[in-house]
Amino acid sequence: MVQYIALTGYMGSGKGVLSDMLKQSGYKYVSLSDIVREEATSRGLEHTRENLQNIGNELRSQYGAGVLGMKVRETITREPDQKWVVDGVRNPACMDELRELPGLKIVGVSADDELLIDRILDRRREGLSMTCDDVYARLKREKGEGEPTDGQQVRKCLDKVDYFILNDSSLEAFLHKFEHFLKLESGEARPTFDEIFMEIAYTWAKRTTCLRRGVGAVIAKDGQQITAGYNGAPRGVPHCAEVGGCLREKFGIPSGQRHEICRGTHAEQNAITQAAKFGISIEGSTLYCNTFPCVICTKMMLNAGITKVVYDSDYDDPLSKEILGQQTGLELKRYEGKKFG
């Protein structure tokens, strides 16, 4: 059994449900927000989400981005034999402070914006009359849009978790996913096929010769790996480091744009072309990748007959997302499970 579990995620994602489940199992609850609430009380301010966000940002700005995590860690270390669940983690620096606790596992919870907004409007937290636009603005702030680096940065936190869950269907399914995490940690459960193949994708990413980002991909069917690839220069071509550095960096090209200006081949492209080289059919297969596919990879996967893509981290390529939203032959799934990056 994991002794220390920390939770991060957007409002409405279901962190409270998991906290309640753990409390019933003997975990003691503490939230980083508790420290902020105490400060709000001392200032005579109402405990509205906006006030708490502002005070949290002030404390991080004054004492360091990880101050809330540090204070919670100090609280926990005073009862070292107690099992703890920590809620309200909203900045990566707080995660770093909490990771000083031995064996700590951080679980990230999320859902689509539309679903989060519907839940929050139904809940009407704080008794306020909020519109859809109000909730969306709060979500954007939690994600880190317009926030300082020591402010609300939940999106970055979700990229650094040990386990990721989507709360996008029933309560029963949500709890079942969390129970799998607990059983996986205790050795009572085997990894899912998604976890197996994503771990292999991350392993292939270690072979990258790209100077900006390591990406790995695996194509599988019926529970068996077919082919794999990683991003880097084509066969027989010098690596970027051998010819003076990254071409895209030299021209200042942002991520997700002008894919043709690059010496490298993407991991998904290499996995697909390896199948073609050896005459292996990948029609009806699933491609696992540790990042969202770009538009070139998307078009190749559609034409190759791949029917499902499981990706981990996001990648800002609007045209890829537009094309994927216009087709019905390729299922896109955000990876859930143990993280390996």
Side-chain angles (χ1 to χ4, degrees), residues 36-53:
V36 182
R37 290 190 183 96
E38 291 173 4
E39 181 67 20
T41 299
S42 69
R43 298 183 186 186
L45 296 174
E46 292 184 52
H47 291 187
T48 64
R49 182 174 291 273
E50 184 176 1
N51 283 343
L52 295 177
Q53 283 181 329

Side-chain angles (χ1 to χ4, degrees), residues 88-113:
V89 182
R90 295 184 175 87
N91 189 280
C94 290
M95 298 174 74
D96 294 338
E97 289 286 347
L98 291 170
R99 286 196 187 279
E100 296 294 322
L101 294 166
L104 173 88
K105 296 296 179 181
I106 302 179
V107 178
V109 190
S110 188
D112 289 339
D113 284 354

Side-chain angles (χ1 to χ4, degrees), residues 10 19 50 52 70 75 78 90 103 157 177 185 195 213 217 220 239 270 284 300:
Y10 305 119
S19 294
E50 184 176 1
L52 295 177
M70 178 186 67
T75 297
R78 289 195 285 269
R90 295 184 175 87
C157 289
K177 293 175 183 179
E185 290 297 323
E195 287 170 321
R213 187 177 195 182
H239 302 322
N270 278 326
M300 289 182 66

Side-chain angles (χ1 to χ4, degrees), residues 94-149:
C94 290
M95 298 174 74
D96 294 338
E97 289 286 347
L98 291 170
R99 286 196 187 279
E100 296 294 322
L101 294 166
L104 173 88
K105 296 296 179 181
I106 302 179
V107 178
V109 190
S110 188
D112 289 339
D113 284 354
E114 293 78 8
L115 191 54
L116 293 173
I117 291 171
D118 287 343
R119 287 175 184 160
I120 295 164
L121 290 176
D122 287 343
R123 188 171 63 188
R124 301 288 178 177
R125 187 172 180 175
E126 303 162 349
L128 298 177
S129 177
M130 293 186 293
T131 67
C132 181
D133 288 341
D134 293 333
V135 178
Y136 185 61
R138 293 189 180 193
L139 278 174
K140 287 174 65 177
R141 184 176 182 182
E142 273 201 330
K143 290 180 180 181
E145 297 183 31
E147 285 283 290
T149 55

Side-chain angles (χ1 to χ4, degrees), residues 11-252:
M11 55 181 181
S13 60
K15 302 188 302 299
V17 173
L18 300 186
S19 294
D20 290 341
M21 175 185 171
L22 290 170
K23 284 189 284 187
Q24 293 173 9
S25 300
Y27 282 78
K28 191 170 183 178
Y29 177 86
V30 63
S31 172
L32 275 69
S33 300
D34 292 342
I35 298 166
V36 182
R37 290 190 183 96
E38 291 173 4
E39 181 67 20
T41 299
S42 69
R43 298 183 186 186
L45 296 174
E46 292 184 52
H47 291 187
T48 64
R49 182 174 291 273
E50 184 176 1
N51 283 343
L52 295 177
Q53 283 181 329
N54 289 335
I55 293 172
N57 284 358
E58 285 182 33
L59 291 174
R60 283 186 286 264
S61 177
Q62 186 173 357
Y63 300 107
V67 59
L68 302 182
M70 178 186 67
K71 289 183 176 295
V72 166
R73 175 165 54 81
E74 291 172 350
T75 297
I76 290 174
T77 53
R78 289 195 285 269
E79 297 183 59
D81 296 328
Q82 171 67 46
K83 295 186 297 183
W84 289 87
V85 53
V86 182
D87 197 4
V89 182
R90 295 184 175 87
N91 189 280
C94 290
M95 298 174 74
D96 294 338
E97 289 286 347
L98 291 170
R99 286 196 187 279
E100 296 294 322
L101 294 166
L104 173 88
K105 296 296 179 181
I106 302 179
V107 178
V109 190
S110 188
D112 289 339
D113 284 354
E114 293 78 8
L115 191 54
L116 293 173
I117 291 171
D118 287 343
R119 287 175 184 160
I120 295 164
L121 290 176
D122 287 343
R123 188 171 63 188
R124 301 288 178 177
R125 187 172 180 175
E126 303 162 349
L128 298 177
S129 177
M130 293 186 293
T131 67
C132 181
D133 288 341
D134 293 333
V135 178
Y136 185 61
R138 293 189 180 193
L139 278 174
K140 287 174 65 177
R141 184 176 182 182
E142 273 201 330
K143 290 180 180 181
E145 297 183 31
E147 285 283 290
T149 55
D150 57 3
Q152 305 280 309
Q153 297 289 343
V154 177
R155 176 179 287 170
K156 291 182 179 179
C157 289
L158 289 171
D159 287 337
K160 298 181 65 177
V161 299
D162 300 302
Y163 200 85
F164 180 76
I165 300 174
L166 283 173
N167 182 12
D168 56 0
S169 57
S170 67
L171 176 61
E172 182 181 7
F174 180 47
L175 293 177
H176 178 74
K177 293 175 183 179
F178 189 65
E179 287 169 356
H180 172 73
F181 154 71
L182 295 175
K183 290 180 178 179
L184 195 64
E185 290 297 323
S186 67
E188 299 175 67
R190 296 184 299 166
T192 64
F193 279 118
D194 280 3
E195 287 170 321
I196 290 291
F197 292 127
M198 189 59 73
E199 182 176 12
I200 296 172
Y202 270 102
T203 299
W204 276 109
K206 296 176 182 178
R207 286 282 300 167
T208 183
T209 61
C210 178
L211 301 176
R212 298 181 93 180
R213 187 177 195 182
V215 180
V218 171
I219 298 176
K221 188 175 182 179
D222 298 328
Q224 297 294 321
Q225 178 179 330
I226 298 175
T227 184
Y230 56 89
N231 60 329
R235 188 184 302 273
V237 175
H239 302 322
C240 296
E242 300 171 329
V243 291
C246 175
L247 191 62
R248 295 173 62 81
E249 291 285 357
K250 290 180 180 179
F251 287 105

Side-chain angles (χ1 to χ4, degrees), residues 255-306:
S255 178
Q257 301 180 22
R258 302 298 304 274
H259 300 289
E260 75 281 4
I261 303 179
C262 179
R263 295 177 59 83
T265 307
H266 287 190
E268 304 98 310
Q269 297 166 20
N270 278 326
I272 292 170
T273 55
Q274 283 297 303
K277 177 182 178 181
F278 293 106
I280 302 172
S281 172
I282 54 176
E283 188 169 4
S285 64
T286 298
L287 186 143
Y288 294 85
C289 189
N290 60 333
T291 187
F292 191 93
C294 76
V295 64
I296 297 175
C297 293
T298 292
K299 291 184 287 187
M300 289 182 66
M301 288 187 288
L302 286 168
N303 286 343
I306 294 171

